Every structure is written in C-alpha cells, then in structure tokens.
Amino acid sequence: MSIILEAIRQIFKSPITLKYPFEKTDVPKDFRGRPVWNMQKCVGCGLCSRVCPSGAIEMIGKGLKAEIKHYVDRCIFCGQCSESCPRNAITMTDEFEHAGYDREKMIYEYRRES
Amino acid sequence: MGLLRWAQIRSPWIIHFNTGGCNGCDIEVVAAFTPRFDVERFGILLKGSPRHADILAVTGPVTLQVRDRLVRIYEQMPEPKYVLAIGACACSGAPFKDCYNVLGGVDEVLPVDVYVPGCPPKPEAIIDGVVKLIQKIKRGDANGRG
Amino acid sequence: MKTSRDLIAYNDLKKMIIEPGFCNLCGACEAACPVHALKIEDRSLKYTHDCTNFMEFCPICYDICPFTEALLLETLGFVSGAPNRTESIGYYRKIILAQAVDERMREISHSGGVITALLMHAIKTGFIDGAITSESEKETPIRIKPLLSLVPDDLLSAVDYEYFPSSVAKAFGRAVHEYGKTKIAFVGTPCHVRAIRKLEAWEHKIMNSLKIVIGLICLWSFSFPKLTKYLKEAYNIDASDILRIDLDKKYDVSMKDGRIISISIPEIEAHTLSVCKMCEDFTSELADISVGGAHPLKDWSIVIIRTEVGEEIFEDAVKANVIRTRKIEERPDVYAHFVEMGLLKKRYAAEEIERRKRCGEPVPPVYIRMLELLPREISLLSSLRAEHIMTREIIAVRPEYTVEDVLTLMTKHHHMGYPVLNERDELVGIVTFDDVSKVPASKRKETLVKDIAHKRLVTAYPNESAMAVYEKMSEHKIGRILVVDRRNPKKLLGIITKTDIMHVLRWPMRR
C-alpha cells in the first residue's frame, strides 16, 4: 500500500534523473580520479612504480632524469602512488571519463623539460 | 542494413556477463539502470538472453574456467554485435594479470569495441562509454563482427 | 666536498656523516625516509633494512641532514624576507627582551619562560595542536628526550636548555605519522632548526603539518659519555646527581644536594659534540622566533622575531597579557654579552675548522660549503658591481663619541661595525664590536672612539666587481668593507657586509 502511495506522491515531483552526458555534476570531495605527476617535484625515486598494485606506472631511467609512463587501462585509481610519494608530486584529479576505442591511446607520458 | 543500424543506434539492447570479477563493476552497471542515471533513456534494455542482444557488456578479468562460456555467449549473439569491456579488469586484467587462473582482459578472447577503465567506473563513465559506442556504430566502423 | 652523488643517499650519508661521527641524533632522516629504513635507537642511528629493495634512487636522507651541503641557500629563503639583517643576529624583524607574566613559568624555566608561555597560549587558542620540545629524563635530569605536548599542561615539563642531543626531528615525524597532528610547533637548537628548514625546502610531505619553528640560542651541546667521564675524573660527580646546568659567563653545574660547581668555557669546550665545535650559528638564524637567556638578567629572555608567523604568534601572546616585553636598548650590557657569546662561538668554529683542515681530519660538508662558493655563485658575483649591492644609508660615528655611545648605538641598530667620520664628513677610520668589547666596562665612559678605531682601512671602489669585494673580505678576514669614491678616497659612498653578499647570492632563487 505504501508503495502505491509513494508512486502517487512521485507523480507530482520532478524527475531526479541526471541526464548525463547533457547534464553533469561535480564529483564528491576527495574523489580519486586519474593521477597526474608534477615533474618539477618528482625526484625519480621509483616508489610510486614499486607500490602500484597493478603495475600501471613505469619509470624510464633513473633518478632526476627519470620519466614516467602511466597506463590508465591498468590503473585501479587506488591512490597508493599519491600517498607513497615523499614529496606529494602526484595528485589525484577528478577525471573519470576515460572510455576509448584503443588501448594504445590510454597511456600518459610525463617528461621533464630540460 | 539501414533499418537495422537505425534500430541499433536508437535502441541498443545489452547483455551483461561477469567473467570472474569482484562484482564492483556489475553493481555500477546495475546502478546505471536506476532512475538517477537511467541508461534506458537511450533505449537500452538489459536482456537475459544473448540471442536478443546487440551489445555484450563484459566485466571481470577473464578466468580460464569461464573462457569457453564467454565465447559461446558471444557466438550466440546475432550479428551485428559489439563488445563493451567495463572496468580495469576487463580492459587489461588490472592487478590480476599475472594470476595462474586468469587470462587478463577481454581482448585476449574477443574483439573489443570500447574500453571503459575505472575501478569501478562511475555510472556516468559507463554511460560515456555507451555513448562512444553508439557514435562508433553510427560511423559504421565497429569491429565486432565475430 | 663530493662533486658526484651516489644514487642512494644512505651510502653518502654513511661515508660523510655517520662514520666520521658527525651525527647529532636529530632524527630528521628517520622522519623523512619514505621506506622507514633509518631508526634512532640506543643513541645511535641504525639502518634497519636495505632501502635499495624498494628504490633505485633516493636523495632524501643526505639532502636533509643538517650537516650536508644540500639546500643551504634555499633554507635562507624562509627568513630572508625580513627587513633587517646583521652579522650577529642574521635576518630579523625585531629583537626585544621578554618574560612570561606568570611567575610559575619563569621559575620552572630558570629564565624568562617565554617559550613555555608562548606555546601554552598557542595551544589554548588553537593556533597549534601540538608542540615538540624536550624534557628531562627521570633518573638523569640533565639528559633530555623529546616531548610531544598536546595540551597546555604538558608543556610544564619542557626544559629550556638542550645541552645534550635530543631526537626532536624524529619526534616531529612521529607526531605527523602516528598522532596525525597538523599544526605543530617545533622547538630545537640551530642544527635541529636547519634540519627542519631543509625538509621544508625539499617540500617533504610531512612539512604540511609544520606551523612554526622556534630556535634556541645555543652555544654547544655536549657528548654525554665524554662530559660525564670528565666530571667524574676532575670533580668526582656522577651524572645522575646533577640537577641542572646553567650557562652565564661560566657553566654552573647545580647538584641535587645543593652544591654549585663552576666550570670555565675553555675547560669544558673539549667535551662538546664534534660537530658543535665547528658550528657558527649561535642564534638559530633560520627559525621563526629565536629565544635565549638575557644574561646577566635572571628573569628575562632575549627574543628575536624573524618572520611574519613569528610576529603573529608573539603579538598575540603579548596582547593576551601572557608575555610582557621591554626594549633591548634599555640594557646595552645584555646586548653586549649576547653578541660576545656569538662571536666566541664563531671564533672557536673558525679555529677548529682550520685545525682540522691542517691535520687532514674530516669536516662536515655543510661547513665547507659555507666557506666556498659554487661556480654559478662566482659568476653571479662577478657580474655584479659594488655599487649594485652596497647599502647607501650609513650610520656613522664621530671621533669624539665615547665607547659607551657606540655601545648604545650598537644596541639600537645591531650592526657590528661603524665608520668614523670627522666634522668634515671625511672617512678617518672604522670601529667594530671587537674593539668596543676589549675596553673594560669601567673605562667605557672615558675612552673615545678616536682612541680605539682602526685607521688603516680596507676599501673598495664602486665599479669593482662583487667577486673582488668578497675576495678582499676573505683575505683580510673582515666582516664589512667601505666603498669610497675613487677620486676622493675620504668620501664614503656605502658599506658592503658579509650578510649583504649572502643576500645577493639568493637573488636568483627568490621564493
């Protein structure tokens, strides 16, 4: 009976559908989207690459000349890399729309400007 | 073919199959059907039989045990058919890639049209993936041709 | 000084700092290590597991150790925004005398009680949520260990001196990781302050939790085994019977049974920590606030405020009537004693470094770095001229002034040397703090400047390069050089001091 009452009540309310992709809302606070590396701060210690559970981070080179490759199709967005970085060089942004046709394009490379 | 493609674009029907995952992505797929995100606006229906479906939405890293069942479901779908890999496990196997019982990613077995990374991807991200798949069907270069 | 660095900092740290015995157990490396490979245990630094299992390259423990050459000029950036700078005090905004209004705090701390009062007020108002200081060990009161205070009453057990090593930087790391505090006040000796500033300059993530740094005015720390052995042999006292040690003009060792034994500074200097012998930072030049005893006054402390954060917290405490202040100009004798101690420390440091270099003994990289310039610094100084970096507003004295007048002037303006100009405004000499302090207190009203001033001057011309000026100052071992007109060498145009040169070296690196 209460279901029918609830259904009648909802007739007079506006729909709650979020018409994505035509309407978008903000993500919740502390949302873990794609991580980005700040190469000015990165010292190339390799902790993020060692600690990543799915091996989504590859470090090319050693030390201050190291470059980072991040595979989004393997990333599980856990935030462990950001937490382990001793200099807070990795921030989790709020990007979550990563759908694509080609896995080769889902790789982000971070190089240093010399 | 024009009518068929028009029908698939305006109302693609999905069959969802979990190949050994943790059910996180499955919950998000089901959440996409709830009134808040309402994927049925696009005419999408969640069917129970592969013989009624256009799109196969796969979650989970493909385990060795489920591989043959997955292929059979795919073969039971009528053409033209498309495959949507949802979640990091379905895209590449994610943390389970080197496990003894896991193949790692749907594209070891089936040709995939759209990958949706995330763990789990938000329902909005899944809808984004579906929208991209529909655009691909419109363009006519989807490769899901068994 | 090493020119190439090992991929793993610990190898360098071991070779340059731990093996020669330059570790002061501050624990900054333990707080900073991302894989927790270093641990201070039983008063020594232990390497608990091989960090190369986790990382291929890591510069952290070497870079942030206070006795290595890395990041030194960057650490100056935290205080170099201050409007004043002198050789004796460093960069500062204000120097005053202060004491806690509450008598209890003054009694506990045996001097002004300023740090206790300041931090208690700061915790009460929520400006900070934790404070790292040091407290005495129960059995041996002169030995100290770090104390994390979370409520105001915890601070009543904090001590005002740190004559032995205390692992305060390690406690800071624990406060961040284990207690999760986010607004921490840090109190430590100049080397501890340097370690914390290096961590901040390196942008380590635990530094997001640091709110304010308070430095102590420190002459030396002692090596516990060496000093206790000496006290046993020379005076037959056990370390556990000592209640406290105070430093005025001598070290006064107060025993539990009431006796007080005085030890002179040269006598005790042999038993200081080896790194302390070479340190020339007397006033914690990198802290937000520096605090020390205002001898010969028993109840007052000297407070040097260097940054805006320090000013904010201090003014807040003064307004809330927790601290009262007095101008330091009222007590030139306090200022003279303070500057004398600082010069003493610098003199001992220079002598020890010279001696070690002569005998081929190792010197910590930080002191070598402070004496030598990097190639890019040399090229920067060579590209600038004396007229670009000199100070044109000069405070000068007349030959007829008394030594007492000069001392009053020094207490007001805090410079260490003043040019002497005659009635025609011609340059006739220079008088420095060294000259003033040699005059005994009883004769200061009678002796005139013209009796003690140096007549032979080392000068520079406005178009000489800054590098030439620096070399002249190093060659003659002077702290300031007078810039005169080439055509009229008696016309004074400006002054360049050593601190001016150091300030210039930071130009490319403004924060």
Side-chain angles (χ1 to χ4, degrees), chain A residues 41 43-47 50 59 61-64 82-88, chain C residues 7 32 34-35 52-60 201-205 208:
Chain A
K41 278 191 166 189
V43 286
C45 65
L47 272 173
R50 298 257 185 166
M59 225 179 63
K62 275 193 204 214
L64 286 165
S82 171
E83 220 182 283
S84 316
C85 178
R87 251 183 137 182
N88 281 347
Chain C
L7 281 179
V35 295
T52 56
N53 286 334
F54 295 96
M55 297 186 287
E56 288 177 354
F57 170 84
C58 177
I60 299 176
W202 198 82
E203 295 174 326
H204 198 279
K205 63 183 173 181
N208 294 333

